[in-house]
Amino acid sequence: MMGRFLAFGEIMLRLSPPGRELLMQTPRFDVWVAGAEANVATQLARLGHDVGMASRVPDNDLGRAAIDTLRGHGVDVRHIQTGGERMGLYFVTSGAGLRATEVVYDRAWSSFAEAPTAAWDWDAMLAGVDRLHLSGITPALGPVPAETAIAAAEAASARGIALSFDGNWRGKLWARWDGDPRAILRRIVAHADLMFGNHRDIALLLGRDDFAGAGEDRRRAAAEAAFDAFPRLRTIASTARHVDQVDSNRLSARIDTRDGHAQTDEVLIAGIVDRIGGGDAFAAGVLHGLRSGQDSLGAARIGLALAALKHSLPGDAALFRQADIDAFVAGGLDVRR
Ligand SMILES: Nc1ncnc2c1ncn2[C@@H]1O[C@H](COP(=O)(O)OP(=O)(O)OP(=O)(O)O)[C@@H](O)[C@H]1O
Ligand SMILES: O=C(O)C(=O)C[C@H](O)[C@H](O)CO
């Protein structure tokens, strides 16, 4: 069963030096359309879901290019407003080996961040929608976007629309202003039935340092604490990443419910091309799996498949089809011809 999703958040452009060069080492940038929620919308659309993106971009060639790109992937762009002054940008210098990837944001005063809370017509945007998807990035952008994100969660809740929320911690954004992430994020998660996040996201929400235990025990303790704190929460999906080298990670996925948990095996991802957006691909995969009637383990496996596949693709968005998921699960890596 395909669903009617709406993703809400900032659409950005990402600029990266080609290859593994440092920022400004070369006079060139590769440019991609980005934004965590837009990445989720894009992957869901590529899998055939009915998915809309709600956002605001400037009425210039950058904003129009972003809209065209999303439309080209099959995302419904009716609720992308135009207005304001500037497109949010960010710069990624891809790491390799023992050099970590670096992000520089250049997104202050973007069209999206400057939109007043009253700019969003939730009646129109949520008409016919059965799941709204938000992330912790919008509330990190400043006091007005934080109010807007809370209003979005409340609007979905008031209409009986399911809410999914991806923690997506962005310390560099929260450090720019004096917002209290715990208080703000709690007001959003209170309305969510599905959360993407690990023990660190949950520790932040609950005002704790962390949870006792190691590995899977710690994750279960965190999930149970979150279920106690947020009565509407039914499902928590997370990945665990071991970074052996920047371009060689091991990844596994798990889904916790009130009744128990499902845990995938770990996959080795060597020769990483680009890991940015892996978490968004995971979220899209879990949403796709659950919507297709998979149980927790099946949904976690689809999430892991898309997250792992994303590491093979330059740019932020995962662009895979069902056949790619099936091939990943079947495990064959020979040339497909
Ligand atoms: N300081 C922190 N406080 C709270 N949560 C955190 C913190 N650091 C990381 N997290 C959370 O840990 C989880 C994993 O973070 P990570 O940076 O590995 O992202 P990811 O989900 O693997 O993928 P992506 O790079 O695509 O976002 C995220 O849900 C993130 O919100
Ligand atoms: O980092 C952000 O705020 C973005 O939205 C840009 C990227 O697309 C995102 O980090 C990928 O998850």
Side-chain angles (χ1 to χ4, degrees):
M1 187 180 82
M2 296 290 140
R4 173 87 178 115
F5 295 94
L6 183 76
F8 175 73
E10 180 166 17
I11 305 169
M12 308 176 74
L13 294 182
R14 161 178 157 184
L15 292 89
S16 284
R20 301 284 165 175
E21 292 180 83
L22 299 178
L23 206 61
M24 308 303 287
Q25 181 182 345
T26 154
R28 281 174 293 278
F29 284 115
D30 290 333
V31 185
W32 288 279
V33 174
E37 304 84 355
N39 299 337
V40 173
T42 297
Q43 179 58 88
L44 284 172
R46 300 274 298 187
L47 290 167
H49 292 277
D50 186 351
V51 51
M53 180 74 206
S55 191
R56 186 169 183 250
V57 296
D59 186 12
N60 62 23
D61 284 344
L62 301 179
R64 282 188 286 273
I67 292 175
D68 288 347
T69 300
L70 293 180
R71 185 192 288 112
H73 291 307
V75 175
D76 177 350
V77 296
R78 266 178 307 165
H79 296 299
I80 303 180
Q81 303 177 23
T82 49
E85 293 298 320
R86 68 178 301 248
M87 192 79 199
L89 306 181
Y90 90 112
F91 297 81
V92 176
T93 306
S94 296
L98 299 175
R99 172 166 61 86
T101 294
E102 279 286 339
V103 168
V104 174
Y105 286 124
D106 177 25
R107 66 198 296 177
W109 308 291
S110 70
S111 293
F112 180 79
E114 291 288 287
T117 298
W120 309 102
D121 178 352
W122 292 106
D123 277 331
M125 288 155 61
L126 291 174
V129 167
D130 55 36
R131 177 172 290 285
L132 174 66
H133 183 74
L134 302 177
S135 94
I137 298 172
T138 301
L141 292 173
V144 173
E147 274 313 309
T148 299
I150 293 167
E154 290 174 352
S157 199
R159 291 162 180 78
I161 295 167
L163 175 70
S164 43
F165 174 78
D166 191 333
N168 265 329
W169 175 253
R170 296 289 182 265
K172 283 186 179 175
L173 298 179
W174 286 107
R176 290 185 57 244
W177 63 296
D178 60 359
D180 174 356
R182 179 176 170 227
I184 292 166
L185 296 176
R186 282 182 71 96
R187 292 181 62 192
I188 300 171
V189 176
H191 299 285
D193 68 325
L194 170 56
M195 170 168 148
F196 297 94
N198 64 14
H199 56 98
R200 299 179 75 186
D201 297 276
I202 295 168
L204 173 83
L205 285 169
L206 302 186
R208 300 174 52 141
D209 285 339
D210 207 338
F211 292 89
E216 303 313 326
D217 288 345
R218 181 168 60 182
R219 285 178 181 254
R220 185 63 198 167
E224 284 176 356
F227 289 136
D228 283 347
F230 300 105
R232 296 209 188 164
L233 202 53
R234 289 277 164 278
T235 307
I236 301 174
S238 62
T239 55
R241 181 190 292 278
H242 296 276
V243 181
D244 297 320
Q245 292 217 336
V246 167
D247 33 23
S248 179
N249 297 179
R250 285 170 288 133
L251 200 64
S252 63
R254 89 179 250 146
I255 288 185
D256 284 272
T257 58
R258 287 175 181 265
D259 304 333
H261 74 277
Q263 169 75 48
T264 71
D265 291 338
E266 193 174 64
V267 292
L268 171 67
I269 315 173
I272 293 174
V273 173
D274 192 332
R275 72 165 262 195
I276 308 269
D280 307 327
F282 173 69
V286 170
L287 289 168
H288 173 59
L290 294 176
R291 185 54 64 97
S292 319
Q294 297 276 335
D295 62 9
S296 293
L297 184 59
R301 282 182 174 148
I302 294 173
L304 181 67
L306 288 177
L309 287 169
K310 167 64 203 53
H311 289 67
S312 71
L313 203 62
D316 284 32
L319 304 174
F320 299 103
R321 308 284 191 188
Q322 183 64 46
D324 301 308
I325 299 173
D326 296 344
F328 180 91
V329 171
L333 287 180
D334 270 348
V335 177
R336 285 191 257 155
R337 59 181 148 212

PDB file of all heavy atoms in Angstrom, residues 81-109:
ATOM      1  N   GLN A  81       6.672  26.992  -1.216  1.00  0.00           N
ATOM      2  CA  GLN A  81       6.405  28.409  -1.450  1.00  0.00           C
ATOM      3  C   GLN A  81       7.668  29.085  -1.996  1.00  0.00           C
ATOM      4  O   GLN A  81       8.782  28.622  -1.755  1.00  0.00           O
ATOM      5  CB  GLN A  81       6.038  29.101  -0.142  1.00  0.00           C
ATOM      6  CG  GLN A  81       4.853  28.495   0.565  1.00  0.00           C
ATOM      7  CD  GLN A  81       4.583  29.197   1.896  1.00  0.00           C
ATOM      8  OE1 GLN A  81       4.978  30.350   2.113  1.00  0.00           O
ATOM      9  NE2 GLN A  81       3.914  28.507   2.796  1.00  0.00           N
ATOM     10  N   THR A  82       7.456  30.196  -2.713  1.00  0.00           N
ATOM     11  CA  THR A  82       8.608  31.006  -3.093  1.00  0.00           C
ATOM     12  C   THR A  82       8.502  32.342  -2.375  1.00  0.00           C
ATOM     13  O   THR A  82       7.410  32.882  -2.191  1.00  0.00           O
ATOM     14  CB  THR A  82       8.677  31.233  -4.607  1.00  0.00           C
ATOM     15  OG1 THR A  82       7.413  31.675  -5.063  1.00  0.00           O
ATOM     16  CG2 THR A  82       9.069  29.963  -5.345  1.00  0.00           C
ATOM     17  N   GLY A  83       9.640  32.861  -1.949  1.00  0.00           N
ATOM     18  CA  GLY A  83       9.674  34.134  -1.229  1.00  0.00           C
ATOM     19  C   GLY A  83      10.914  34.199  -0.384  1.00  0.00           C
ATOM     20  O   GLY A  83      11.659  33.225  -0.276  1.00  0.00           O
ATOM     21  N   GLY A  84      11.152  35.363   0.200  1.00  0.00           N
ATOM     22  CA  GLY A  84      12.344  35.526   1.035  1.00  0.00           C
ATOM     23  C   GLY A  84      13.561  35.792   0.168  1.00  0.00           C
ATOM     24  O   GLY A  84      13.480  35.864  -1.058  1.00  0.00           O
ATOM     25  N   GLU A  85      14.689  35.880   0.816  1.00  0.00           N
ATOM     26  CA  GLU A  85      15.884  36.398   0.154  1.00  0.00           C
ATOM     27  C   GLU A  85      16.837  35.331  -0.355  1.00  0.00           C
ATOM     28  O   GLU A  85      17.452  35.499  -1.399  1.00  0.00           O
ATOM     29  CB  GLU A  85      16.673  37.287   1.128  1.00  0.00           C
ATOM     30  CG  GLU A  85      15.956  38.571   1.504  1.00  0.00           C
ATOM     31  CD  GLU A  85      15.711  39.451   0.293  1.00  0.00           C
ATOM     32  OE1 GLU A  85      16.603  39.535  -0.573  1.00  0.00           O
ATOM     33  OE2 GLU A  85      14.605  40.034   0.213  1.00  0.00           O
ATOM     34  N   ARG A  86      17.021  34.268   0.414  1.00  0.00           N
ATOM     35  CA  ARG A  86      18.144  33.416   0.010  1.00  0.00           C
ATOM     36  C   ARG A  86      17.926  31.928   0.247  1.00  0.00           C
ATOM     37  O   ARG A  86      17.164  31.515   1.093  1.00  0.00           O
ATOM     38  CB  ARG A  86      19.449  33.882   0.670  1.00  0.00           C
ATOM     39  CG  ARG A  86      19.532  33.696   2.162  1.00  0.00           C
ATOM     40  CD  ARG A  86      20.907  34.160   2.656  1.00  0.00           C
ATOM     41  NE  ARG A  86      21.980  33.410   2.009  1.00  0.00           N
ATOM     42  CZ  ARG A  86      22.777  32.549   2.631  1.00  0.00           C
ATOM     43  NH1 ARG A  86      22.672  32.356   3.920  1.00  0.00           N
ATOM     44  NH2 ARG A  86      23.704  31.901   1.962  1.00  0.00           N
ATOM     45  N   MET A  87      18.645  31.168  -0.560  1.00  0.00           N
ATOM     46  CA  MET A  87      18.653  29.713  -0.476  1.00  0.00           C
ATOM     47  C   MET A  87      19.642  29.306   0.608  1.00  0.00           C
ATOM     48  O   MET A  87      20.755  29.845   0.664  1.00  0.00           O
ATOM     49  CB  MET A  87      19.160  29.226  -1.839  1.00  0.00           C
ATOM     50  CG  MET A  87      18.998  27.780  -2.111  1.00  0.00           C
ATOM     51  SD  MET A  87      17.306  27.418  -2.596  1.00  0.00           S
ATOM     52  CE  MET A  87      17.280  25.672  -2.287  1.00  0.00           C
ATOM     53  N   GLY A  88      19.259  28.372   1.469  1.00  0.00           N
ATOM     54  CA  GLY A  88      20.207  27.836   2.433  1.00  0.00           C
ATOM     55  C   GLY A  88      21.265  27.013   1.705  1.00  0.00           C
ATOM     56  O   GLY A  88      20.938  26.197   0.849  1.00  0.00           O
ATOM     57  N   LEU A  89      22.519  27.277   2.030  1.00  0.00           N
ATOM     58  CA  LEU A  89      23.629  26.541   1.401  1.00  0.00           C
ATOM     59  C   LEU A  89      24.399  25.787   2.466  1.00  0.00           C
ATOM     60  O   LEU A  89      24.406  26.171   3.636  1.00  0.00           O
ATOM     61  CB  LEU A  89      24.613  27.496   0.723  1.00  0.00           C
ATOM     62  CG  LEU A  89      24.082  28.493  -0.292  1.00  0.00           C
ATOM     63  CD1 LEU A  89      25.245  29.319  -0.841  1.00  0.00           C
ATOM     64  CD2 LEU A  89      23.343  27.789  -1.419  1.00  0.00           C
ATOM     65  N   TYR A  90      25.060  24.739   2.048  1.00  0.00           N
ATOM     66  CA  TYR A  90      26.077  24.180   2.929  1.00  0.00           C
ATOM     67  C   TYR A  90      27.184  23.548   2.111  1.00  0.00           C
ATOM     68  O   TYR A  90      26.989  23.153   0.963  1.00  0.00           O
ATOM     69  CB  TYR A  90      25.449  23.288   3.990  1.00  0.00           C
ATOM     70  CG  TYR A  90      25.254  21.837   3.715  1.00  0.00           C
ATOM     71  CD1 TYR A  90      26.001  20.903   4.423  1.00  0.00           C
ATOM     72  CD2 TYR A  90      24.317  21.389   2.812  1.00  0.00           C
ATOM     73  CE1 TYR A  90      25.814  19.547   4.233  1.00  0.00           C
ATOM     74  CE2 TYR A  90      24.115  20.031   2.617  1.00  0.00           C
ATOM     75  CZ  TYR A  90      24.864  19.124   3.320  1.00  0.00           C
ATOM     76  OH  TYR A  90      24.688  17.790   3.132  1.00  0.00           O
ATOM     77  N   PHE A  91      28.348  23.544   2.712  1.00  0.00           N
ATOM     78  CA  PHE A  91      29.562  23.080   2.047  1.00  0.00           C
ATOM     79  C   PHE A  91      30.036  21.812   2.738  1.00  0.00           C
ATOM     80  O   PHE A  91      30.123  21.779   3.959  1.00  0.00           O
ATOM     81  CB  PHE A  91      30.659  24.152   2.133  1.00  0.00           C
ATOM     82  CG  PHE A  91      30.296  25.432   1.422  1.00  0.00           C
ATOM     83  CD1 PHE A  91      29.486  26.373   2.038  1.00  0.00           C
ATOM     84  CD2 PHE A  91      30.746  25.681   0.141  1.00  0.00           C
ATOM     85  CE1 PHE A  91      29.134  27.545   1.382  1.00  0.00           C
ATOM     86  CE2 PHE A  91      30.402  26.843  -0.522  1.00  0.00           C
ATOM     87  CZ  PHE A  91      29.590  27.784   0.091  1.00  0.00           C
ATOM     88  N   VAL A  92      30.317  20.793   1.941  1.00  0.00           N
ATOM     89  CA  VAL A  92      30.808  19.536   2.506  1.00  0.00           C
ATOM     90  C   VAL A  92      32.166  19.227   1.897  1.00  0.00           C
ATOM     91  O   VAL A  92      32.297  19.168   0.669  1.00  0.00           O
ATOM     92  CB  VAL A  92      29.854  18.366   2.196  1.00  0.00           C
ATOM     93  CG1 VAL A  92      30.437  17.050   2.713  1.00  0.00           C
ATOM     94  CG2 VAL A  92      28.489  18.604   2.819  1.00  0.00           C
ATOM     95  N   THR A  93      33.144  19.066   2.760  1.00  0.00           N
ATOM     96  CA  THR A  93      34.449  18.579   2.317  1.00  0.00           C
ATOM     97  C   THR A  93      34.527  17.115   2.704  1.00  0.00           C
ATOM     98  O   THR A  93      34.569  16.787   3.887  1.00  0.00           O
ATOM     99  CB  THR A  93      35.583  19.379   2.999  1.00  0.00           C
ATOM    100  OG1 THR A  93      35.356  20.758   2.763  1.00  0.00           O
ATOM    101  CG2 THR A  93      36.938  18.966   2.459  1.00  0.00           C
ATOM    102  N   SER A  94      34.476  16.255   1.700  1.00  0.00           N
ATOM    103  CA  SER A  94      34.435  14.815   1.988  1.00  0.00           C
ATOM    104  C   SER A  94      35.770  14.343   2.528  1.00  0.00           C
ATOM    105  O   SER A  94      36.813  14.642   1.945  1.00  0.00           O
ATOM    106  CB  SER A  94      34.100  14.040   0.712  1.00  0.00           C
ATOM    107  OG  SER A  94      32.804  14.382   0.287  1.00  0.00           O
ATOM    108  N   GLY A  95      35.711  13.606   3.601  1.00  0.00           N
ATOM    109  CA  GLY A  95      36.918  13.034   4.174  1.00  0.00           C
ATOM    110  C   GLY A  95      37.305  11.747   3.448  1.00  0.00           C
ATOM    111  O   GLY A  95      36.660  11.326   2.490  1.00  0.00           O
ATOM    112  N   ALA A  96      38.348  11.153   3.913  1.00  0.00           N
ATOM    113  CA  ALA A  96      38.802   9.852   3.391  1.00  0.00           C
ATOM    114  C   ALA A  96      39.806   9.301   4.387  1.00  0.00           C
ATOM    115  O   ALA A  96      40.473  10.076   5.086  1.00  0.00           O
ATOM    116  CB  ALA A  96      39.462  10.013   2.022  1.00  0.00           C
ATOM    117  N   GLY A  97      39.873   7.984   4.443  1.00  0.00           N
ATOM    118  CA  GLY A  97      40.870   7.360   5.321  1.00  0.00           C
ATOM    119  C   GLY A  97      40.719   7.831   6.753  1.00  0.00           C
ATOM    120  O   GLY A  97      39.707   7.584   7.400  1.00  0.00           O
ATOM    121  N   LEU A  98      41.712   8.572   7.240  1.00  0.00           N
ATOM    122  CA  LEU A  98      41.674   9.040   8.620  1.00  0.00           C
ATOM    123  C   LEU A  98      41.355  10.538   8.698  1.00  0.00           C
ATOM    124  O   LEU A  98      41.548  11.166   9.735  1.00  0.00           O
ATOM    125  CB  LEU A  98      43.001   8.730   9.312  1.00  0.00           C
ATOM    126  CG  LEU A  98      43.319   7.224   9.369  1.00  0.00           C
ATOM    127  CD1 LEU A  98      44.713   6.977   9.948  1.00  0.00           C
ATOM    128  CD2 LEU A  98      42.267   6.481  10.203  1.00  0.00           C
ATOM    129  N   ARG A  99      40.854  11.128   7.597  1.00  0.00           N
ATOM    130  CA  ARG A  99      40.452  12.545   7.606  1.00  0.00           C
ATOM    131  C   ARG A  99      38.930  12.620   7.566  1.00  0.00           C
ATOM    132  O   ARG A  99      38.295  12.138   6.631  1.00  0.00           O
ATOM    133  CB  ARG A  99      41.046  13.282   6.400  1.00  0.00           C
ATOM    134  CG  ARG A  99      40.525  14.691   6.224  1.00  0.00           C
ATOM    135  CD  ARG A  99      41.368  15.492   5.238  1.00  0.00           C
ATOM    136  NE  ARG A  99      41.401  14.919   3.894  1.00  0.00           N
ATOM    137  CZ  ARG A  99      40.476  15.177   2.951  1.00  0.00           C
ATOM    138  NH1 ARG A  99      39.460  15.967   3.202  1.00  0.00           N
ATOM    139  NH2 ARG A  99      40.581  14.624   1.761  1.00  0.00           N
ATOM    140  N   ALA A 100      38.354  13.230   8.608  1.00  0.00           N
ATOM    141  CA  ALA A 100      36.888  13.255   8.736  1.00  0.00           C
ATOM    142  C   ALA A 100      36.256  14.248   7.752  1.00  0.00           C
ATOM    143  O   ALA A 100      36.889  15.218   7.334  1.00  0.00           O
ATOM    144  CB  ALA A 100      36.500  13.639  10.163  1.00  0.00           C
ATOM    145  N   THR A 101      35.009  13.978   7.412  1.00  0.00           N
ATOM    146  CA  THR A 101      34.220  14.884   6.576  1.00  0.00           C
ATOM    147  C   THR A 101      33.870  16.132   7.391  1.00  0.00           C
ATOM    148  O   THR A 101      33.572  16.050   8.578  1.00  0.00           O
ATOM    149  CB  THR A 101      32.939  14.145   6.126  1.00  0.00           C
ATOM    150  OG1 THR A 101      33.338  13.073   5.276  1.00  0.00           O
ATOM    151  CG2 THR A 101      31.980  15.059   5.392  1.00  0.00           C
ATOM    152  N   GLU A 102      33.916  17.298   6.734  1.00  0.00           N
ATOM    153  CA  GLU A 102      33.651  18.572   7.417  1.00  0.00           C
ATOM    154  C   GLU A 102      32.459  19.269   6.778  1.00  0.00           C
ATOM    155  O   GLU A 102      32.351  19.317   5.551  1.00  0.00           O
ATOM    156  CB  GLU A 102      34.855  19.512   7.243  1.00  0.00           C
ATOM    157  CG  GLU A 102      36.001  19.264   8.198  1.00  0.00           C
ATOM    158  CD  GLU A 102      35.704  19.751   9.611  1.00  0.00           C
ATOM    159  OE1 GLU A 102      34.810  20.615   9.787  1.00  0.00           O
ATOM    160  OE2 GLU A 102      36.357  19.244  10.537  1.00  0.00           O
ATOM    161  N   VAL A 103      31.604  19.852   7.614  1.00  0.00           N
ATOM    162  CA  VAL A 103      30.449  20.604   7.112  1.00  0.00           C
ATOM    163  C   VAL A 103      30.551  22.062   7.549  1.00  0.00           C
ATOM    164  O   VAL A 103      30.841  22.349   8.708  1.00  0.00           O
ATOM    165  CB  VAL A 103      29.135  20.001   7.648  1.00  0.00           C
ATOM    166  CG1 VAL A 103      27.960  20.927   7.394  1.00  0.00           C
ATOM    167  CG2 VAL A 103      28.878  18.640   7.020  1.00  0.00           C
ATOM    168  N   VAL A 104      30.347  22.972   6.601  1.00  0.00           N
ATOM    169  CA  VAL A 104      30.229  24.414   6.907  1.00  0.00           C
ATOM    170  C   VAL A 104      28.839  24.847   6.459  1.00  0.00           C
ATOM    171  O   VAL A 104      28.487  24.678   5.283  1.00  0.00           O
ATOM    172  CB  VAL A 104      31.298  25.236   6.146  1.00  0.00           C
ATOM    173  CG1 VAL A 104      31.068  26.738   6.370  1.00  0.00           C
ATOM    174  CG2 VAL A 104      32.703  24.834   6.560  1.00  0.00           C
ATOM    175  N   TYR A 105      28.043  25.369   7.382  1.00  0.00           N
ATOM    176  CA  TYR A 105      26.720  25.860   7.011  1.00  0.00           C
ATOM    177  C   TYR A 105      26.775  27.320   6.593  1.00  0.00           C
ATOM    178  O   TYR A 105      27.502  28.115   7.182  1.00  0.00           O
ATOM    179  CB  TYR A 105      25.758  25.738   8.197  1.00  0.00           C
ATOM    180  CG  TYR A 105      25.317  24.326   8.476  1.00  0.00           C
ATOM    181  CD1 TYR A 105      25.506  23.757   9.725  1.00  0.00           C
ATOM    182  CD2 TYR A 105      24.699  23.564   7.492  1.00  0.00           C
ATOM    183  CE1 TYR A 105      25.100  22.463   9.993  1.00  0.00           C
ATOM    184  CE2 TYR A 105      24.288  22.263   7.742  1.00  0.00           C
ATOM    185  CZ  TYR A 105      24.487  21.721   8.993  1.00  0.00           C
ATOM    186  OH  TYR A 105      24.084  20.445   9.252  1.00  0.00           O
ATOM    187  N   ASP A 106      26.005  27.644   5.590  1.00  0.00           N
ATOM    188  CA  ASP A 106      25.827  29.039   5.173  1.00  0.00           C
ATOM    189  C   ASP A 106      24.335  29.197   4.886  1.00  0.00           C
ATOM    190  O   ASP A 106      23.915  29.253   3.734  1.00  0.00           O
ATOM    191  CB  ASP A 106      26.671  29.318   3.924  1.00  0.00           C
ATOM    192  CG  ASP A 106      26.474  30.742   3.406  1.00  0.00           C
ATOM    193  OD1 ASP A 106      26.111  31.621   4.217  1.00  0.00           O
ATOM    194  OD2 ASP A 106      26.650  30.957   2.195  1.00  0.00           O
ATOM    195  N   ARG A 107      23.560  29.185   5.948  1.00  0.00           N
ATOM    196  CA  ARG A 107      22.108  29.090   5.793  1.00  0.00           C
ATOM    197  C   ARG A 107      21.357  30.108   6.629  1.00  0.00           C
ATOM    198  O   ARG A 107      20.120  30.098   6.637  1.00  0.00           O
ATOM    199  CB  ARG A 107      21.662  27.673   6.128  1.00  0.00           C
ATOM    200  CG  ARG A 107      21.859  27.306   7.586  1.00  0.00           C
ATOM    201  CD  ARG A 107      21.825  25.809   7.854  1.00  0.00           C
ATOM    202  NE  ARG A 107      20.541  25.199   7.567  1.00  0.00           N
ATOM    203  CZ  ARG A 107      20.298  23.898   7.681  1.00  0.00           C
ATOM    204  NH1 ARG A 107      21.270  23.067   8.079  1.00  0.00           N
ATOM    205  NH2 ARG A 107      19.120  23.408   7.398  1.00  0.00           N
ATOM    206  N   ALA A 108      22.092  30.963   7.375  1.00  0.00           N
ATOM    207  CA  ALA A 108      21.400  31.971   8.193  1.00  0.00           C
ATOM    208  C   ALA A 108      20.558  32.852   7.280  1.00  0.00           C
ATOM    209  O   ALA A 108      20.959  33.158   6.158  1.00  0.00           O
ATOM    210  CB  ALA A 108      22.417  32.794   8.962  1.00  0.00           C
ATOM    211  N   TRP A 109      19.392  33.240   7.768  1.00  0.00           N
ATOM    212  CA  TRP A 109      18.453  34.126   7.051  1.00  0.00           C
ATOM    213  C   TRP A 109      17.969  33.530   5.732  1.00  0.00           C
ATOM    214  O   TRP A 109      17.662  34.240   4.781  1.00  0.00           O
ATOM    215  CB  TRP A 109      19.055  35.520   6.816  1.00  0.00           C
ATOM    216  CG  TRP A 109      19.584  36.108   8.081  1.00  0.00           C
ATOM    217  CD1 TRP A 109      18.841  36.525   9.143  1.00  0.00           C
ATOM    218  CD2 TRP A 109      20.949  36.307   8.450  1.00  0.00           C
ATOM    219  NE1 TRP A 109      19.662  36.959  10.156  1.00  0.00           N
ATOM    220  CE2 TRP A 109      20.962  36.849   9.752  1.00  0.00           C
ATOM    221  CE3 TRP A 109      22.166  36.078   7.804  1.00  0.00           C
ATOM    222  CZ2 TRP A 109      22.141  37.155  10.416  1.00  0.00           C
ATOM    223  CZ3 TRP A 109      23.339  36.391   8.466  1.00  0.00           C
ATOM    224  CH2 TRP A 109      23.326  36.929   9.756  1.00  0.00           C
TER     225      TRP A 109
END
